Amino acid sequence: MKTLFDTVHENIRLDEGPHVIEQMLIACYVKPGIATKELARHTLLPVPLATAVKKELIRAGLLRQERGVRCTPAGAAWVEQEWDYDGLDIAMYHALLKGDKAWRTVLADWWNDWSGIYEARPQADVQIDQSKCTMETSLKRAMLCLREHALIGKRVLCIGDDDLVSISLALLLKRLFPGRSSLRAGIHVVDIDERFLDYIRDVAMREQLPIVCHQADLRQPLPEELHGRFDCFFTDPPYTMQGMSLFLSRGISALKRRIGLPMFLSFAHKPPGFTLAMQQEFIRMGLMVQEIIPHFNEYEGAQMIGGRGQMIVLKSTEQTAPGQEERYEGAIYTGEFRRTERVYRCKQCLGMVRVGQNLEIGTIEQLKQRGCARCGGLIFELVEKKQSGETGDSVPSVANERQHG
């Protein structure tokens, strides 16, 4: 059904998409009396175009020019009812968005309450390239979503979530709407690992968070009921070209068919050749790079990538389409390209243990859980590391593996 905003968009014919009109009205709602030039900066529009959009919204009876630009009662009602801003703690909203680090101070009172949730999550399975980001990074991603107007009243998809971004998003919503028992915003998680899905479900039930979990292998297309439903997605895929392309493709298939929807891609810093190929892949899928934030992500114990990774904010365009729509049979995880065998020495009895993907013990984490078979010791040191062969002749090697340990 055509909405008022579809009509406004048709009248103005914005190449940027209808989300810009939405952002302008919300800006006038949360900051009554905002200047037209500030609206232009906020929406990244030239001042003449921002002025044209403003005038169209005034004609529609949603804005008025009175000591700056502000919502009419009808405009405020639209924001509250159609986009679910009713009950928003506007003072907290402004405090959170005041600066890059302001949110840490605002959320300091809850930091200790929330930290246990992140500390208790399951151990990372490095064979499927899991590498848990820190609690602060997870919350930073949620703040980025809020800044991009992709959280309040929206449907958000987390494609793989050992980082608990779904929980960060939901906890942030809970603080922004202290008087609301239910919100229209919906957060969904797709993951192959039932351990993390069970953990997220448990936390969501305990904290009364709007999170729905789906178990799926992303080598298969997403379930049909997830197609075309979401306003944005987060993904921190395997740090291979194939893994990145596949996870992005699944996310694109879940997005609504609109211009300007954000995608939040966390990825390792890569050499120029790989980065060029990655950007060519973005172009192939019709994606626009809006922003690249170096060293945005920090990971627990990820020595192979220096513990840091970049955040790439992508936007949908008229040409956006999944690069991979059918079942994918090839390799996607770093371990499938580089099969590494390690030899560890037990610090207690000096016994040697071989660890590798095709061996009885696949990772150092599994070895620490089991303990030394001879003496039960739990502390090991790396003695030797070697490549045990690669899969496929035409598969490119991948630097900066995501694994750690």
Side-chain angles (χ1 to χ4, degrees):
M1 183 176 69
K2 184 182 289 187
T3 70
L4 173 64
F5 282 86
D6 295 325
T7 302
V8 173
H9 180 234
E10 288 174 2
N11 290 343
I12 303 176
R13 300 186 181 279
L14 276 178
D15 292 337
E16 291 79 2
H19 75 285
V20 174
I21 303 170
E22 178 181 330
Q23 288 180 14
M24 183 172 290
L25 190 56
I26 290 171
C28 295
Y29 174 80
V30 298
K31 193 174 181 181
I34 189 171
T36 302
K37 285 186 177 180
E38 189 174 349
L39 279 176
R41 288 194 297 270
H42 187 77
T43 54
L44 302 180
L45 293 176
V47 173
L49 187 53
T51 302
V53 175
K54 177 192 72 175
K55 288 180 178 179
E56 192 67 32
L57 290 170
I58 290 173
R59 275 194 292 270
L62 300 175
L63 294 181
R64 69 178 189 270
Q65 187 84 43
E66 180 185 312
R67 290 174 290 127
V69 190
R70 58 190 69 231
C71 287
T72 63
W78 182 281
V79 173
E80 292 172 356
Q81 295 166 19
E82 297 296 323
W83 296 327
D84 208 34
Y85 273 68
D86 188 28
L88 172 68
D89 184 336
I90 293 181
M92 175 173 284
Y93 178 87
H94 285 304
L96 287 169
L97 295 178
K98 190 173 183 180
D100 288 342
K101 297 183 179 180
W103 64 270
R104 294 170 176 83
T105 303
V106 176
L107 299 178
D109 291 346
W110 297 297
W111 199 267
N112 290 336
D113 294 339
W114 292 351
S115 61
I117 294 174
Y118 298 84
E119 291 168 0
R121 59 186 150 166
Q123 190 160 355
D125 182 352
V126 297
Q127 293 189 80
I128 56 173
D129 284 8
Q130 288 178 350
S131 181
K132 299 180 291 187
C133 76
T134 63
M135 171 185 168
E136 180 170 346
T137 293
S138 187
L139 288 168
K140 275 171 63 180
R141 293 178 186 177
M143 290 303 310
L144 185 59
C145 191
L146 180 67
R147 189 194 79 183
E148 290 293 325
H149 301 281
L151 178 57
I152 298 173
K154 304 297 186 182
R155 287 185 176 271
V156 184
L157 180 64
C158 297
I159 302 175
D161 199 23
D162 52 304
D163 297 325
L164 302 190
V165 174
S166 59
I167 290 174
S168 294
L169 292 166
L171 288 173
L172 183 57
L173 280 170
K174 195 173 180 179
R175 297 310 175 194
L176 283 167
F177 293 87
R180 293 276 301 272
S181 58
S182 64
L183 293 167
R184 192 176 305 165
I187 301 161
H188 289 243
V189 177
V190 173
D191 206 302
I192 194 172
D193 192 335
E194 281 285 6
R195 299 174 308 143
F196 276 94
L197 293 174
D198 287 342
Y199 184 75
I200 291 168
R201 288 188 190 105
D202 289 344
V203 173
M205 184 176 297
R206 186 173 70 245
E207 299 289 335
Q208 297 183 312
L209 305 176
I211 301 174
V212 179
C213 293
H214 310 265
Q215 199 278 334
D217 183 346
L218 292 178
R219 285 188 167 101
Q220 303 273 6
L222 289 180
E224 193 64 34
E225 64 267 21
L226 298 181
H227 284 209
R229 290 185 60 197
F230 294 89
D231 297 286
C232 74
F233 68 84
F234 284 84
T235 189
D236 196 338
Y239 292 162
T240 65
M241 191 66 70
Q242 293 81 356
M244 182 210 71
S245 180
L246 182 63
F247 279 47
L248 274 182
S249 291
R250 299 303 185 229
I252 291 168
S253 71
L255 282 182
K256 295 174 181 176
R257 301 296 173 254
R258 291 178 58 187
I259 297 171
L261 297 183
M263 291 150 264
F264 304 98
L265 169 65
S266 294
F267 211 72
H269 296 101
K270 291 289 189 177
F274 191 107
T275 300
L276 175 61
M278 184 167 64
Q279 293 176 356
Q280 289 170 335
E281 190 69 0
F282 297 157
I283 293 170
R284 186 175 77 88
M285 288 189 275
L287 303 177
M288 179 194 79
V289 178
Q290 173 180 283
E291 186 177 12
I292 298 175
I293 312 173
H295 307 295
F296 180 94
N297 299 299
E298 183 175 357
Y299 297 92
E300 297 178 356
Q303 294 94 344
M304 294 298 290
I305 59 171
R308 297 277 180 169
Q310 62 187 322
M311 170 62 73
I312 304 172
V313 182
L314 303 164
K315 288 289 182 75
S316 61
T317 70
E318 288 182 341
Q319 300 176 36
T320 296
Q324 175 71 38
E325 298 193 62
E326 304 301 324
R327 174 181 172 84
Y328 182 76
E329 302 284 356
I332 58 173
Y333 299 115
T334 52
E336 295 174 315
F337 295 107
R338 286 187 170 186
R339 299 192 181 277
T340 303
E341 181 180 311
R342 295 175 172 86
V343 178
Y344 289 91
R345 177 189 293 124
C346 173
K347 286 264 193 169
Q348 187 165 300
C349 71
L350 304 183
M352 301 292 187
V353 186
R354 293 169 61 226
V355 173
Q357 188 171 10
N358 295 325
L359 301 175
E360 181 182 355
I361 302 175
T363 67
I364 181 60
E365 287 81 6
Q366 292 175 357
L367 177 58
K368 289 177 179 178
Q369 285 182 332
R370 290 190 185 193
C372 176
R374 292 174 58 183
C375 69
L378 299 175
I379 301 176
F380 302 88
E381 61 178 345
L382 180 64
V383 175
E384 183 182 0
K385 175 182 175 182
K386 61 181 180 180
Q387 300 296 323
S388 56
E390 295 183 355
T391 61
D393 296 332
S394 61
V395 174
S397 61
V398 181
N400 296 335
E401 297 177 8
R402 191 175 176 186
Q403 290 109 307
H404 62 274

